[in-house]
Amino acid sequence: MKTQKVRTLLAQTMIRRRQKARVNTAKALLRPDVITAVLVGTGGPMPSARVQSCTALFVNGQFLLFDAGDGAARRMEALHLPVAQLQAVFMTHYHADHFADLGEVIDRSWILGRRHRLPVHGPVGIARIVAGFHQAYTLEYGYRAAHHGDELMPLQWAEAQALEFDSPAASGSVSVYERDGVTVTAFPVLHPPIVPNVGYRIEFDGRAVVLSGDTVFTDTLLQQSRGADLLISDVMAMDAVEQIERGNQAGGNETTAQIMHDIRDYHISAEELGSLAEEAQVKRLALTHLSPPVEQRLLINSYFKRPIAARYTGKIVVGHDGTRIVIPRA
Ligand SMILES: [Zn+2]
Ligand SMILES: [Zn+2]
């Protein structure tokens, strides 16, 4: 009898705590006066505990999501993000570490209460990917709707809507979203041979956030980052990746060694990123998609923080899954 009471009490406390965390998080993130970025996933394809590429941006009460790599949906819920309020998704490019969890993002947001067709913006290719997820999830949608009823889970909102845009010209940009003063523009980045591939600049009320996507240094990224309140960028520690290549070669793991060799030509180095952020006069620089995806402070400092700080005088935020960055009104 006593055990029963303790169990009930524990369960109630846990439910209350979660509920409170959800309400408080939604309240803080959907505030219209601040822009908040949540680095949901800060890893890339290299194996690590980090969730793959995914960034949530809360602007003027709108929840916008950029990329959805493996683990994104579960991490969003663990962080108590208001997934039912997800307004739109934006894709940078179609490496799987940027879209692997798109199906779950669509499905979970619907199950938890999304009642509009989820727009998924992306350069050419997104229609194919959304159609593929739709095909894979058709049975799942049907089962949920049949079990919970159409009132709780209306089938009409389960699917996402792919909104494909033509890639902007080399130095240009294209407007892809506009709602209540919030604008999102896409610009080309360079991550050969992956074409199309874009970064995004999000603006609202005199403030700007730029997402690099996966890229090397380019003049367009520099121009697009000018004066940004926050640049969220991909970054690679070239010497560390070279070391991993040598280590794998020595250990006879030729495949990984070759991959470590090949990937060094399509990501921006810590040194280049520091120079770019300084020249563009970016107010804050947040690092995501860390390669290699180390966690130890010593390695983070030596691979990323120190080489950037030697060139950039603004604020550096090394991203971990769940890092929040708040941009107050100018
Ligand atoms: Zn990537
Ligand atoms: Zn990529």
Side-chain angles (χ1 to χ4, degrees), residues 64-269:
L64 310 179
L65 194 72
F66 296 83
D67 288 339
D70 187 36
R74 281 171 70 172
R75 186 56 56 89
M76 283 201 284
E77 286 179 49
L79 293 169
H80 305 297
L81 302 194
V83 293
Q85 262 96 138
L86 183 57
Q87 187 80 48
V89 181
F90 300 82
M91 289 285 151
T92 59
H93 65 298
Y94 307 123
H95 265 147
D97 58 307
H98 296 256
F99 74 79
D101 220 16
L102 181 60
E104 281 299 287
V105 167
I106 296 166
D107 193 36
R108 292 295 299 166
S109 60
W110 170 63
I111 289 172
L112 294 173
R114 173 175 54 77
R115 293 300 171 259
H116 62 102
R117 221 168 149 207
L118 185 66
V120 182
H121 302 261
V124 172
I126 195 58
R128 212 165 135 186
I129 287 176
V130 167
F133 276 117
H134 177 63
Q135 193 177 359
Y137 275 75
T138 300
L139 293 175
E140 150 79 2
Y141 298 151
Y143 297 148
R144 300 277 174 202
H147 190 190
H148 301 287
D150 202 54
E151 203 170 315
L152 188 67
M153 247 159 254
L155 209 45
Q156 59 171 320
W157 307 129
E159 263 186 78
Q161 180 186 18
L163 294 168
E164 218 163 60
F165 56 82
D166 286 328
S167 263
S171 58
S173 64
V174 57
S175 166
V176 296
Y177 177 91
E178 220 176 319
R179 193 187 167 115
D180 297 335
V182 178
T183 61
V184 180
T185 44
F187 58 89
V189 288
L190 198 60
H191 184 53
I194 294 80
V195 178
N197 188 18
V198 298
Y200 289 101
R201 183 175 170 110
I202 302 92
E203 295 185 358
F204 174 64
D205 195 24
R207 287 160 288 175
V209 177
V210 174
L211 275 110
S212 73
D214 284 3
T215 186
V216 294
F217 177 101
T218 73
D219 277 335
T220 306
L221 179 61
L222 171 67
Q223 298 310 333
Q224 290 289 336
S225 303
R226 283 214 186 276
D229 294 271
L230 172 65
L231 168 61
I232 301 170
S233 181
D234 161 36
V235 65
M236 180 173 271
M238 295 300 167
D239 51 340
V241 176
E242 201 180 325
Q243 262 174 21
I244 300 172
E245 180 193 338
R246 281 201 301 268
N248 275 282
Q249 220 153 28
N253 193 347
E254 289 297 329
T255 305
T256 304
Q258 187 61 44
I259 292 171
M260 291 302 124
H261 179 83
D262 293 346
I263 60 176
R264 293 209 299 280
D265 69 357
Y266 70 174
H267 291 285
I268 192 164
S269 73

Side-chain angles (χ1 to χ4, degrees), residues 38-60:
V38 182
L39 308 182
V40 176
T42 54
M46 289 166 87
S48 81
R50 290 174 187 261
V51 160
Q52 292 179 341
S53 202
C54 181
T55 305
L57 210 62
F58 295 86
V59 198
N60 198 20

